[in-house]
Amino acid sequence: MMYAVATENLTRMFGNFTAVNQVSLKIPQGSIYGFLGPNGSGKSTTIRMLCGILTPTSGNGHILGLDLATQGESIKEQIGYMSQKFSLYDDLTVLENLEFYAGLYNLSAAERKERIENMLTMAGLKDRRQEMTANLSGGWKQRLALGCSILHKPSILFLDEPTGGVDPKSRRMFWDIIYYLSQQGTTVMVTTHFMDEAEHCDAIGFIYEGSLIADDTPARLKQNLPGILLEIPTPDPMGLFAELAERQRDVLDLYPYGTSVHALIREERLSDYKDYEYNVITPSLEDVFVYYVKSKRKELIV
């Protein structure tokens, strides 16, 4: 299998602080890879190393077969990168922003015209090409930023928290574009903290305190969660959580979840809950990652 991203023990330190700790990834070409984790977990640092912006402290990696350590400039020509803070120029029109970025990518006049038209169509901005960028809503700006970052038709696209700060409808439309790009053969690596977005990825990596603690398809991550998951509805989740925790039942995991408490238990312990009205439910990705984070914390304490 051809991998768009292949890293082995990729590590980045800032002084004595290990921001990314021995991360090994394999992302097949043309796939969508979701990279999840809380703020400060090492997502952006990893992405910056993969883009050739930051040099790894140790470990190695290849992007599209190019060596991260020695071929950084060649890698930059092959990739697209967009973050939540992607720089658009508010005092330029939509079209002028696209023309500016086309110039940075050294596209020929013919390529420039064709690609800009394609991006305007893809982003739904054809009728707004002369509009000042400052007047666009967050969702429209986001799609324009994406268009600017892929004018040069990159083989791999890195999206760093691209949907932060935009409304749910804009997020859905943005993901429609991501699917389209993937179908055209572009590899997409996207960092997000939205679990519903992660459900749509071909595979997911979850990074916590610099370490990759899970890496698999959404379906397999859920299947591999041990035991069975109970949802116990309650008007007082914190109260019920405290009551169950106090009884020291033999649970794999226990935590408040919205208007309920979730209990991950071994199947043979089901009779412990006969006094409660529970539902046996399929774990969500949020349940999966709560379990992985707690397991990792226990390892660190031990």
Side-chain angles (χ1 to χ4, degrees):
M1 183 184 288
M2 285 292 292
Y3 292 108
V5 176
T7 72
E8 191 175 354
N9 297 327
L10 204 63
T11 300
R12 175 68 198 204
M13 298 187 70
F14 296 98
N16 294 325
F17 174 66
T18 306
V20 175
N21 185 24
Q22 297 189 334
V23 167
S24 299
L25 294 169
K26 280 190 165 64
I27 303 175
Q29 287 189 354
S31 65
I32 301 174
Y33 187 86
F35 199 43
L36 281 73
N39 288 341
S41 56
K43 298 190 301 289
S44 293
T45 303
T46 303
I47 292 271
R48 289 187 188 118
M49 283 193 282
L50 298 178
C51 290
I53 298 167
L54 272 179
T55 307
T57 305
S58 62
N60 59 73
H62 290 82
I63 305 295
L64 305 166
L66 299 168
D67 191 300
L68 272 179
T70 59
Q71 296 175 284
E73 288 309 307
S74 299
I75 288 171
K76 286 175 189 172
E77 292 169 11
Q78 298 281 331
I79 65 173
Y81 172 75
M82 175 192 159
S83 74
Q84 199 177 334
K85 301 179 180 71
F86 187 92
S87 296
L88 290 171
Y89 294 92
D90 277 351
D91 54 347
L92 298 180
T93 64
V94 167
L95 182 60
E96 286 167 342
N97 263 294
L98 285 162
E99 286 174 338
F100 172 77
Y101 279 97
L104 292 183
Y105 296 131
N106 295 319
L107 300 179
S108 68
E111 280 178 322
R112 188 177 303 196
K113 192 171 188 303
E114 182 196 348
R115 302 266 178 91
I116 286 174
E117 284 304 315
N118 288 344
M119 290 307 109
L120 288 167
T121 301
M122 181 200 73
L125 286 162
K126 282 189 86 161
D127 297 332
R128 307 180 78 163
R129 67 181 71 207
Q130 298 303 337
E131 193 164 329
M132 295 301 288
T133 301
N135 298 335
L136 297 177
S137 70
W140 289 109
K141 278 187 179 177
Q142 174 203 52
R143 279 181 267 166
L144 175 58
L146 178 63
C148 289
S149 69
I150 59 173
L151 274 166
H152 58 309
K153 285 193 176 172
S155 300
I156 181 167
L157 178 61
F158 293 100
L159 302 172
D160 195 4
E161 296 282 357
T163 57
V166 299
D167 62 90
K169 185 182 176 188
S170 294
R171 277 173 49 205
R172 282 194 299 274
M173 292 180 79
F174 190 82
W175 272 87
D176 286 342
I177 298 172
I178 293 176
Y179 298 142
Y180 170 77
L181 292 170
S182 173
Q183 286 161 7
Q184 304 302 305
T186 305
T187 306
V188 182
M189 183 176 184
V190 55
T191 73
T192 180
H193 56 269
F194 294 114
M195 292 294 171
D196 59 327
E197 293 186 349
E199 294 274 3
H200 304 306
C201 297
D202 298 308
I204 298 167
F206 192 75
I207 190 168
Y208 178 71
E209 295 191 349
S211 297
L212 194 67
I213 61 172
D215 182 19
D216 213 330
T217 65
R220 278 201 294 265
L221 284 169
K222 292 174 191 176
Q223 286 163 7
N224 291 340
L225 201 65
I228 58 173
L229 185 65
L230 307 185
E231 177 185 64
I232 311 170
T234 172
D236 180 16
M238 291 307 295
L240 179 59
F241 168 72
E243 177 190 322
L244 291 169
E246 197 175 306
R247 291 189 186 185
Q248 294 187 322
R249 294 170 184 275
D250 179 21
V251 295
L252 299 169
D253 206 354
L254 182 73
Y255 47 93
Y257 191 101
T259 56
S260 65
V261 170
H262 282 192
L264 185 66
I265 64 168
R266 295 177 181 86
E267 196 161 356
E268 61 267 23
R269 306 297 304 195
L270 200 53
S271 59
D272 290 352
Y273 295 83
K274 62 181 185 296
D275 297 335
Y276 298 93
E277 288 188 18
Y278 63 77
N279 303 305
V280 177
I281 60 169
T282 302
S284 68
L285 281 177
E286 204 160 337
D287 293 307
V288 171
F289 293 132
V290 166
Y291 175 78
Y292 274 111
V293 165
K294 286 188 176 177
S295 301
K296 184 67 178 177
R297 277 188 190 146
K298 284 175 192 164
E299 274 177 39
L300 294 172
I301 291 167
V302 174

